[in-house]
Amino acid sequence: QVQLVESGGGLVQAGASLRLSCEASGRTFSRNAMGWFRQAPGKEREFVATIDWSGATTYYTDSVKGRFTISRDNAKNTVFLQMNSLKPEDTAIYYCAGSTNGYISLYYRRTREYEYWGQGTQVTVSS
């Protein structure tokens, strides 16, 4: 059974940093694209960042560019999201997602491109 388990969320003040982790089990994702999405209360799930299987290509939503960094450690079957200079508007449940494809394009900002999803981790940023 494939599982994606997120960790690292929490309550922080504006300007702080958090590092989210997503560990996969049940299959290896070392050849698969991975992504991070988030969902704030009353809003639809939105794209945050995605990374191809090698880590060479990444895309970010405009609101997090320069503040968030997605990376991966294929040996540990884990993907990370380093979040710096957090803002109250970053408050949401953050979800890890895995694709059956290895390469990414701008289409990978869509939830439909990912077949596997974690349960999410809460990030709350106070002002």
Side-chain angles (χ1 to χ4, degrees), residues 5 57 114:
V5 179
T57 303
Y114 301 86

Side-chain angles (χ1 to χ4, degrees), residues 102-116:
Y103 295 95
I104 58 174
S105 67
L106 292 176
Y107 289 113
Y108 279 76
R109 297 174 296 182
R110 305 183 302 189
T111 57
R112 71 181 73 173
E113 303 301 330
Y114 301 86
E115 290 77 18
Y116 304 99

Side-chain angles (χ1 to χ4, degrees), residues 14-32:
S17 297
L18 282 174
R19 189 192 196 203
L20 304 184
S21 299
C22 170
E23 184 173 2
S25 62
R27 63 162 284 176
T28 180
F29 279 88
S30 62
R31 293 292 180 176
N32 300 92

Side-chain angles (χ1 to χ4, degrees), residues 14-17 66-68 83-87 90:
S17 297
R67 299 189 298 122
F68 290 12
M83 305 187 295
N84 299 329
S85 302
L86 282 161
K87 304 176 180 180
D90 295 319

Side-chain angles (χ1 to χ4, degrees), residues 2 7 10 13 15 19 21 24-25 31 33 37 41 61 70 98 112:
V2 176
S7 62
Q13 290 189 329
R19 189 192 196 203
S21 299
S25 62
R31 293 292 180 176
F37 289 75
T61 192
I70 188 171
R112 71 181 73 173

Side-chain angles (χ1 to χ4, degrees), residues 70-96:
I70 188 171
S71 62
R72 64 191 300 157
D73 184 339
N74 286 339
K76 296 182 178 179
N77 224 19
T78 301
V79 64
F80 305 97
L81 186 67
Q82 178 66 44
M83 305 187 295
N84 299 329
S85 302
L86 282 161
K87 304 176 180 180
E89 51 263 44
D90 295 319
T91 295
I93 299 174
Y94 283 70
Y95 296 92
C96 173

